[in-house]
Amino acid sequence: MDKPVFHSNSRRAVVARFGIHITGAWRQVLTTLSIVLPALGITLIIMDVQLGWFLIGLAAVPIMAYEWWKGELHHIPTGKDAPAIDALLSGDVLGQLKEKPTPHEIATAVGRVPGGQFFSVRFGITANTLLNIASDDEKDTEKVWQHALQVREEAGSQHINGAVLTVALLRSFDESESLLAHMHLGMDDLMAGIRWFDHLHALAEKAKALKS
């Protein structure tokens, strides 16, 4: 397997970092402005106030920003140039990582995203569990990336998401077998968990598509 590389300044990484800052509250603000500005603008035009035209034009800004998030920012297209990790990481994880992340920082990011949270609820592999086993040495990150590429391929996942990284972090831990045995889990259970998470995620996205 080729040596995995991580480009923190790739366009995909930059877009991911921007995307994670558009939280639910900001999206609500954008939606509200998209409605209020045109309505206010039309009202002012009816009242023969020229400022109304400006407000209608200004409404294009929140409308375009929301559509950008809804399209590219919310689901950043996966690249095909493996072993570039930044091309395969899910946007919610990628947007949290700095130039040379340590395994501990990767574990922190995983604990904040749905894939990591799914493993916490389903298997009891919590964010604290990952933080306790993850190294603080950035030299150990390459091993995590190598395992992540292998796990993604074995599970058939489109992205290296939080679920894939949870298993990759565990595989990178020298005493993972004894840890999993103590939790009455095996690696097959975790691989099945990744596939189940991917299935649930796909169903959720289909449901959202039908509503839009």
Side-chain angles (χ1 to χ4, degrees):
M1 178 181 290
D2 294 332
K3 182 178 179 179
V5 292
F6 177 72
H7 304 293
S8 64
N9 293 322
S10 67
R11 183 184 183 280
R12 194 169 183 273
V14 172
V15 168
R17 282 194 291 274
F18 182 78
I20 64 170
H21 292 298
I22 303 183
T23 61
W26 274 111
R27 294 196 296 276
Q28 186 60 51
V29 169
L30 292 174
T31 301
T32 301
L33 288 175
S34 299
I35 297 171
V36 171
L37 288 176
L40 183 58
I42 292 171
T43 301
L44 291 176
I45 290 172
I46 292 173
M47 297 171 62
D48 203 24
V49 178
Q50 295 302 309
L51 179 62
W53 293 108
F54 172 75
L55 294 180
I56 290 176
L58 188 62
V61 176
I63 291 172
M64 288 189 295
Y66 183 80
E67 288 301 318
W68 186 28
W69 174 85
K70 189 176 172 182
E72 183 181 23
L73 295 183
H74 186 42
H75 295 295
I76 305 175
T78 304
K80 298 180 180 179
D81 49 342
I85 297 297
D86 54 286
L88 300 173
L89 276 172
S90 59
D92 54 2
V93 175
L94 179 59
Q96 299 182 59
L97 301 181
K98 65 176 189 179
E99 182 177 358
K100 295 180 179 180
T102 66
H104 196 271
E105 289 167 339
I106 296 170
T108 299
V110 168
R112 296 171 177 165
V113 301
Q117 293 160 2
F118 173 82
F119 266 67
S120 177
V121 174
R122 177 65 182 84
F123 298 109
I125 302 173
T126 65
N128 283 335
T129 302
L130 296 179
L131 291 173
N132 288 334
I133 67 173
S135 166
D136 260 327
D137 189 345
E138 65 183 41
K139 293 179 181 178
D140 294 325
T141 299
E142 182 180 333
K143 181 164 68 172
V144 176
W145 292 150
Q146 288 174 337
H147 282 302
L149 290 170
Q150 292 169 353
V151 171
R152 171 183 174 266
E153 184 174 349
E154 291 171 22
S157 297
Q158 181 181 7
H159 303 98
I160 296 177
N161 54 36
V164 170
L165 284 170
T166 296
V167 178
L169 286 162
L170 284 165
R171 282 192 178 182
S172 301
F173 180 51
D174 292 337
E175 299 178 25
S176 60
E177 289 187 8
S178 59
L179 174 62
L180 292 175
H182 178 72
M183 302 175 75
H184 304 289
L185 293 171
M187 195 54 64
D188 288 344
D189 297 317
L190 304 187
M191 296 303 294
I194 295 174
R195 297 185 184 100
W196 182 238
F197 171 76
D198 287 342
H199 176 66
L200 292 176
H201 180 72
L203 289 177
E205 291 306 314
K206 286 181 180 179
K208 289 179 182 178
L210 290 174
K211 290 181 180 180
S212 61

